[in-house]
Amino acid sequence: MTKVAKVFGILVVVASMAAAWFFLAPRGVGGPISYVVTDGVSMQPRLHAGDLVLLREAPSYGVGDIAGYRSHSLDRVVLHRIVDETADGRFLFKGDNNDFIDQDHPTAADLLGAKWVIVPGGGKVFNWVGQPLHAAVLASLVVLLLGWGLFAPSRRRRRNARHEMPRRSGRAPSGRAPSGRPSPGFTTIAVVIGTCSLLVGAVAWTHAERDVVSKDARFETRGAFSYSASVDKSSVYQDGKVTTGEPLFLKLADEVTVRFDYSVVAAEDRDVTGDGSLMLTLSDPNGWSYVQRLDGTTTDTADGGSLEGVVNLAKVRAVLARFTKLTELQQAAYSLTIQPRLHLSGAVAGQPIDQEFAPQLAFDLDQFRARLKTPGVDPNTGLASGDQLHPVVPGTVQIPEVVPGVVALGPFRLPVAGTRTGALFGLLVALLFAFAGLRSRPITDEADAITRRYGPFLVDASSASPPVESRVIGVRTMDELARVAARYERFIVHEEENGIHTYSVADDGIVYWYQVMSDDVAEPGTIEDVTELRRHRVATVVDLPASRG
């Protein structure tokens, strides 16, 4: 193969790899393609369950395009058709076989890509290959084929090279022997790294590059009770007002205005409204109770509101008097409770909430006054257990969050995208080690080194014994014999017998020869005792002059 052909072949390989990357590289390693296996019937008759769809990133998307996106509500990839676009740049999706719009409204940045290629039924093969066991089997087969190709000698190249005549030159031929077995060290490293990379990559490609997890968003529903009344100035109420925390004397105050303010407090955005009313309850220790809804007003704000009602103390006294008359029970103590019954609805951090909020403001009541009940005491700490004037109820909503997918490999948890990239890098390293193994065959002995360097110019022969009339001249190095072969444009005849390798070049009645002994000869003897060449000829060992070419 000429240099031009080699360069052309390299360019073809590089162009093919670049084209494969441009057209087929998955998004997980920086490519433009997403592979989606369809299921269900939402896109029939265009798509059926088990089809493999290749989605390609597009510069823009429009109504009518079939595109894919990761649904936060369904926690999966959805492949539907764009049916509309909102003013704020969000797309409305709908399955061709559905009669409703998708709940998610993604933006262009959220889309995985538009439909590019459909492979009917290809999803079954894709899913089969994606299973770890199947991927491991395929990876093993690839490694075996790779090993077979690396270890198989290139006999055809060697046979073709032997037919090439060395050029007339004063220099020894520098032809390289055909590739033989690669270095075992490099090959072992290549096989180990390649196998591990294929297995890890197969596992990584069975996991989603991005996962949707739920994150807790905490919020608090806070309330604040207050009450007030206008009374005549006296030594009891010197400023003529009853304020929050003071006792209510029934004969001095006729009406008390009770107010309950509530709000939802959160670090995230919120929009909450409340619907409810204030309820008054009279009760005694024996289980009797009287309930009345207080007339009042309701006010809403973005994160809460307020309820306000009026307690008619004259009516409270009348109810208690009627109860005593009917039951003939003389109770020393009653309870008066004000309770807002609120239903809160709206959203916190974009997630809906639906909560009931019904704290109580309790008074101890007798025939003369009503005063706030003393807070309970925590038996463990000895402290007051709560402030009934300022009740607080905690709450939590779940916020879906897209996070990088993770591959669990034993005790390690690795990102999917990084693991995929690492697997591809590992395969590249394995190929580099395999190539290095081919380039660096181990030299076991001198005969192997000669075969490696001068292989294209060696001719194997069954006997290297020269004619009787020939003059035999031994040379001290193989390089000198190669220079002779180049000078006379002759091949080097090679004979091997009992581990003794004889290399000779014949020209015009003179035979130039060189002999070496293999390292694996069981019982090595001297060269002179082994070959016919030395027993029948008087050899002259000469030092040939160095080549000037």
Side-chain angles (χ1 to χ4, degrees), residues 250 282-288 320 323-324 329-336 363-371 373:
L250 303 184
L282 295 175
S283 61
D284 76 340
N286 298 315
W288 167 79
L320 295 180
F323 171 74
T324 302
L329 294 176
Q330 298 293 330
Q331 295 290 346
Y334 296 90
S335 292
L336 185 152
F363 294 84
D364 288 325
L365 179 65
D366 57 31
Q367 57 181 332
F368 301 110
R369 65 181 177 181
R371 61 180 178 178
K373 283 192 174 182

Side-chain angles (χ1 to χ4, degrees), residues 447 450 458 478 481 492-494 501-504 512-514 516:
I450 291 173
L458 298 180
M478 187 63 190
L481 186 64
I492 301 173
V493 179
H494 169 238
H501 296 263
T502 302
Y503 305 90
S504 61
Y512 300 89
W513 67 278
Y514 178 73
V516 296

Side-chain angles (χ1 to χ4, degrees), residues 358-518:
Q360 292 184 348
L361 180 65
F363 294 84
D364 288 325
L365 179 65
D366 57 31
Q367 57 181 332
F368 301 110
R369 65 181 177 181
R371 61 180 178 178
L372 287 174
K373 283 192 174 182
T374 303
V377 177
D378 189 331
N380 298 319
T381 63
L383 301 176
S385 60
D387 179 5
Q388 64 169 335
L389 289 175
H390 302 92
V392 177
V393 175
T396 303
V397 294
Q398 302 291 319
I399 303 176
E401 181 179 13
V402 179
V403 298
V406 174
V407 177
L409 297 176
F412 304 102
R413 296 178 63 83
L414 307 175
V416 172
T419 304
R420 292 176 179 177
T421 304
L424 292 177
F425 179 77
L427 289 176
L428 177 60
V429 172
L431 291 176
L432 293 177
F433 272 104
F435 180 74
L438 288 176
R439 300 281 295 180
S440 59
R441 282 195 311 161
I443 301 176
T444 58
D445 54 20
E446 187 178 1
D448 185 70
I450 291 173
T451 301
R452 180 181 178 187
R453 183 174 182 183
Y454 301 107
F457 311 103
L458 298 180
V459 175
D460 291 330
S462 60
S463 175
S465 298
V468 175
E469 64 275 10
S470 298
R471 181 186 176 191
V472 180
I473 298 177
V475 298
R476 294 188 182 278
T477 65
M478 187 63 190
D479 288 343
E480 294 176 346
L481 186 64
R483 284 167 39 215
V484 172
R487 172 67 178 80
Y488 295 109
E489 296 184 343
R490 295 289 188 270
F491 283 101
I492 301 173
V493 179
H494 169 238
E495 178 192 16
E496 189 273 331
E497 184 178 355
N498 298 326
I500 303 300
H501 296 263
T502 302
Y503 305 90
S504 61
V505 175
D507 180 73
D508 196 17
I510 300 177
V511 177
Y512 300 89
W513 67 278
Y514 178 73
Q515 288 182 322
V516 296
M517 182 184 298
S518 298

Side-chain angles (χ1 to χ4, degrees), residues 141-333:
L141 292 176
V142 171
V143 171
L144 290 176
L145 292 176
L146 177 64
W148 178 269
L150 291 176
F151 284 97
S154 303
R155 302 179 184 274
R156 182 176 300 177
R157 285 182 54 192
R158 180 175 297 177
R159 287 197 300 268
N160 294 338
R162 286 173 178 168
H163 295 288
E164 297 178 4
M165 289 294 293
R167 294 175 295 176
R168 179 180 292 275
S169 172
R171 294 180 296 177
S174 59
R176 180 175 296 165
S179 299
R181 296 181 182 272
S183 170
F186 283 122
T187 302
T188 301
I189 294 174
V191 171
V192 170
I193 295 179
T195 302
C196 294
S197 298
L198 285 172
L199 293 177
V200 171
V203 173
W205 255 283
T206 61
H207 290 67
E209 183 181 353
R210 295 183 299 173
D211 289 333
V212 179
V213 299
S214 295
K215 181 181 71 173
D216 289 343
R218 301 182 181 278
F219 66 93
E220 289 183 344
T221 304
R222 299 178 180 178
F225 285 104
S226 62
Y227 58 89
S228 63
S230 296
V231 297
D232 295 333
K233 292 182 179 181
S234 64
S235 59
V236 179
Y237 302 112
Q238 297 180 9
D239 55 358
K241 294 181 180 179
V242 179
T243 58
T244 304
E246 294 182 324
L248 296 169
F249 290 94
L250 303 184
K251 291 184 177 181
L252 300 179
D254 293 329
E255 291 184 345
V256 177
T257 300
V258 180
R259 181 184 175 93
F260 179 71
D261 295 292
Y262 62 91
S263 63
V264 175
V265 179
E268 292 80 8
D269 294 337
R270 62 223 180 259
D271 185 7
V272 180
T273 59
D275 181 21
S277 59
L278 288 175
M279 306 298 294
L280 179 147
T281 302
L282 295 175
S283 61
D284 76 340
N286 298 315
W288 167 79
S289 65
Y290 170 83
V291 180
Q292 177 190 359
R293 179 173 180 171
L294 301 181
D295 295 331
T297 59
T298 302
T299 303
D300 285 329
T301 62
D303 59 355
S306 63
L307 300 175
E308 188 174 290
V310 177
V311 178
N312 189 326
L313 295 181
K315 186 174 182 179
V316 170
R317 294 196 304 269
V319 170
L320 295 180
R322 189 178 305 112
F323 171 74
T324 302
K325 180 178 179 181
L326 293 176
T327 61
E328 297 183 355
L329 294 176
Q330 298 293 330
Q331 295 290 346

Side-chain angles (χ1 to χ4, degrees), residues 99-157:
D99 56 0
F100 56 88
I101 303 295
D102 294 358
Q103 182 176 353
D104 297 90
H105 301 155
T107 63
D110 300 325
L111 302 187
L112 301 178
K115 174 187 66 65
W116 181 47
V117 176
I118 299 176
V119 182
K124 298 177 182 178
V125 177
F126 187 81
N127 288 334
W128 187 90
V129 174
Q131 296 182 20
L133 178 61
H134 300 160
V137 172
L138 292 177
S140 301
L141 292 176
V142 171
V143 171
L144 290 176
L145 292 176
L146 177 64
W148 178 269
L150 291 176
F151 284 97
S154 303
R155 302 179 184 274
R156 182 176 300 177
R157 285 182 54 192

